[in-house]
Amino acid sequence: MQTKRYIIKMIIIFYFISPVQSQSQNSLLYNNFYFLPLAGLSLDYSIIESDVGFTAKQVKEVDLQVFWYNSWKVSMYVKENVYTLKRHDVHYYPYRISYYMDFAYISYQFKNSQVGITFNHICNNTIDKPQRNIGTELRWYGIGIKWYSNGMQVGYNPLYSYNSSLFSFNNFHYGLYVGYPFLSKVPEYKYMSSCIIRYDIPCLPYGIPFIEIQIDGLVYSDNALSFNRFIELGCMMPSSSVTFIPYWCYGIAHDSLYPGITDTYFAFGLKAQSLIGNYYDKDLRNNQHKTKNTSLNFMAGYAKTISSEYYNFTTDLSITLQQLICNNNYAYFTSYLNHSSEDQPTALYPRFINISLKSGYAQYIFPFHHLIISYEHFRRHDGNQYRGQPENFHAIELSMVNHSLLSMVFNNPESSEFDNIYNNINYGISIAYIFSQQHYPYSFIVKPIVYYYFACCNAGRPFVGMEFLYFMGKENNYEYNIESGIILNTTIPLTIYYSFKRDIDIDFTGGAHDLYHVIGIRLTL
């Protein structure tokens, strides 16, 4: 009874604030069908003071519109949280990967909001767990109803004039979710719900301060009821196509470190958000780096390995923040995480985890060529178990890369630009010097790469390519990846590929190596 009252109260609240409108999306409503038209991106880093010991959190979000027909949409959403705490004498040691995913959100777009049904998944995965114990982490598979205003979409930037009213219903943005599980364990929830309200205060010429309040309702199998509470104060500061958001957050979260443990924390952080792609203007992707000084780009992939003794499914997600400086020179920062499940019945649990943070500067040297100097911190971890030793390195890398015409634009086979075979080739070479490491026996990594794109059809760009990595140091070894596929000419480019790979040091450095086949998909922009 208490649960029903709680849900009814939230519905009543949203009924009364539903006239509150964010910026109209009239420009996004067309009587056409679109495939992969838009993606909202968010990259978020915060420092945490937490009762249970969390020290920092990194969040990556991708909100991908897959299909759009008239006012009907099907989208996918992934939110990846990486928490750190003090372990092994390291203050920011990765502790947990937490995911929230909408496998499919089927919604109807109104003028200022959208409502629909979502099929979602929530899970926690402990990194470098001392004892292997699969199945003792939060797992949720469920169905729910989501309703939120346009202003709550990832990367969406509400527009206000400097003289906008400080007190207006138009400054409200909201979201509501109520979910029921097909499967829920550790702990076992009967329902989940979330109510979020944000109020914007357009009082500054170069930023929009805001206050955001979120309440999550958790109903357990024994009908016990708990509430997570969060309040966030921040300021949205648009810069070209990216909005930067410095913020402060206070939260009370139940079932935090383990089920039954409540955490109270403060967080100071910075988000970068962007809404990229445009299904009525394919040329936007071709020109974005020429017209936008600041941009967010991403790569997301999912693959199935075949004939591997160690891997089953592999997931990749990276987001890059890029700042154009002058004359096609740019600086960038990339956050990347890759994990593979093992070839066991627990195939969907992350087993082998790679984390990379990379920043660099690219100097334009001649047409389509850049000379890049970068720094990378790379870490190898285990999911839900521990190999017994930390493996990571810090490296300085020097690269020369060519970006072919076909890798950057939608090809037109009738264009004379593609008569020159040279324009269809991507190539590059990099040399990385490892100046600091833990249990990583290499000092240099050399990586040549070459890809060839075929300008043969309007639907996409077939390609074939190869990457080779040679490791030198106390031990010498090598990896390679031979890949072929097609990049579809969607606004958010979709790659369907097959590859043949050789990997080394799979379970630990100096450990197993494997030859295997991969079939996968990849989104890159």
Side-chain angles (χ1 to χ4, degrees), residues 208-247:
I208 305 169
F210 66 88
I211 179 171
E212 183 174 287
I213 298 173
Q214 179 175 344
I215 299 176
D216 298 336
L218 306 173
V219 182
Y220 297 86
S221 57
D222 60 358
N223 291 322
L225 180 63
S226 295
F227 294 96
N228 297 333
R229 290 94 76 191
F230 310 94
I231 182 170
E232 183 175 309
L233 305 176
C235 184
M236 294 179 286
M237 305 170 65
S239 174
S240 188
S241 65
V242 177
T243 299
F244 292 97
I245 308 174
Y247 68 92

Side-chain angles (χ1 to χ4, degrees), residues 113-179:
S113 66
Q114 55 186 296
V115 62
I117 297 174
T118 182
F119 299 89
N120 60 2
H121 169 57
I122 306 170
C123 67
N124 291 336
N125 302 277
T126 300
I127 298 174
D128 293 346
K129 198 171 187 175
Q131 293 183 344
R132 177 179 170 86
N133 197 358
I134 297 293
T136 60
E137 303 277 358
L138 169 65
R139 287 294 184 275
W140 162 289
Y141 293 90
I143 185 173
I145 298 174
K146 286 178 68 175
W147 178 21
Y148 61 89
S149 64
N150 294 341
M152 298 304 295
Q153 182 177 347
V154 176
Y156 187 84
N157 181 24
L159 299 178
Y160 300 95
S161 61
Y162 178 51
N163 58 357
S164 296
S165 174
L166 298 182
F167 305 99
S168 170
F169 281 132
N170 293 327
N171 299 355
F172 273 104
H173 308 277
Y174 56 87
L176 173 67
Y177 163 76
V178 179

Side-chain angles (χ1 to χ4, degrees), residues 404-407 409-413 418-421 423-426 451-465 483-487 489:
S404 77
L405 206 58
L406 268 182
S407 70
V409 302
F410 291 95
N411 62 282
N412 177 5
F418 306 112
D419 292 340
N420 185 346
I421 294 178
N423 287 340
N424 302 351
I425 299 176
N426 254 19
Y451 276 78
Y452 184 82
Y453 299 86
F454 299 89
C456 60
C457 63
N458 288 317
R461 291 156 286 163
F463 68 90
V464 61
E483 184 173 294
S484 64
I486 184 170
I487 305 174
N489 278 349

Side-chain angles (χ1 to χ4, degrees), residues 36-285:
L36 296 175
L38 293 168
L41 304 178
S42 179
L43 181 61
D44 175 3
Y45 279 87
S46 60
I47 303 299
I48 299 176
E49 182 66 34
S50 162
D51 286 349
V52 301
F54 292 133
T55 56
K57 182 171 70 169
Q58 173 197 279
V59 182
K60 294 197 288 285
E61 295 178 78
V62 177
D63 187 2
L64 180 69
Q65 304 291 335
V66 182
F67 301 106
W68 195 320
Y69 178 71
N70 291 346
S71 295
W72 291 97
K73 298 191 296 183
V74 178
S75 61
M76 298 179 64
Y77 171 77
V78 176
K79 183 177 183 180
E80 176 189 273
N81 303 275
V82 178
Y83 292 86
T84 68
L85 49 69
K86 187 173 182 180
R87 301 167 73 188
H88 306 294
D89 297 323
V90 177
H91 191 71
Y92 299 108
Y93 194 98
Y95 171 76
R96 169 182 290 165
I97 306 175
S98 177
Y99 283 103
Y100 175 93
M101 290 181 277
D102 287 330
F103 293 128
Y105 174 43
I106 305 168
S107 63
Y108 186 85
Q109 176 71 56
F110 296 99
K111 180 180 179 181
N112 299 286
S113 66
Q114 55 186 296
V115 62
I117 297 174
T118 182
F119 299 89
N120 60 2
H121 169 57
I122 306 170
C123 67
N124 291 336
N125 302 277
T126 300
I127 298 174
D128 293 346
K129 198 171 187 175
Q131 293 183 344
R132 177 179 170 86
N133 197 358
I134 297 293
T136 60
E137 303 277 358
L138 169 65
R139 287 294 184 275
W140 162 289
Y141 293 90
I143 185 173
I145 298 174
K146 286 178 68 175
W147 178 21
Y148 61 89
S149 64
N150 294 341
M152 298 304 295
Q153 182 177 347
V154 176
Y156 187 84
N157 181 24
L159 299 178
Y160 300 95
S161 61
Y162 178 51
N163 58 357
S164 296
S165 174
L166 298 182
F167 305 99
S168 170
F169 281 132
N170 293 327
N171 299 355
F172 273 104
H173 308 277
Y174 56 87
L176 173 67
Y177 163 76
V178 179
Y180 176 81
F182 302 123
L183 169 68
S184 177
K185 61 180 183 179
V186 195
E188 184 178 348
Y189 297 117
K190 185 181 287 186
Y191 298 98
M192 278 189 180
S193 60
S194 181
C195 174
I196 182 169
I197 298 176
R198 190 184 82 228
Y199 188 79
D200 297 339
I201 309 169
C203 61
L204 300 176
Y206 301 108
I208 305 169
F210 66 88
I211 179 171
E212 183 174 287
I213 298 173
Q214 179 175 344
I215 299 176
D216 298 336
L218 306 173
V219 182
Y220 297 86
S221 57
D222 60 358
N223 291 322
L225 180 63
S226 295
F227 294 96
N228 297 333
R229 290 94 76 191
F230 310 94
I231 182 170
E232 183 175 309
L233 305 176
C235 184
M236 294 179 286
M237 305 170 65
S239 174
S240 188
S241 65
V242 177
T243 299
F244 292 97
I245 308 174
Y247 68 92
W248 170 88
C249 180
Y250 170 76
I252 300 174
H254 297 282
D255 305 319
S256 179
L257 194 63
Y258 299 106
I261 295 180
T262 299
D263 184 25
T264 301
Y265 69 88
F266 296 91
F268 295 89
L270 178 66
K271 302 176 187 177
Q273 296 188 341
S274 182
L275 190 63
I276 61 175
N278 200 327
Y279 58 83
Y280 56 80
D281 183 8
K282 284 187 176 182
D283 291 333
L284 179 142
R285 182 174 66 87

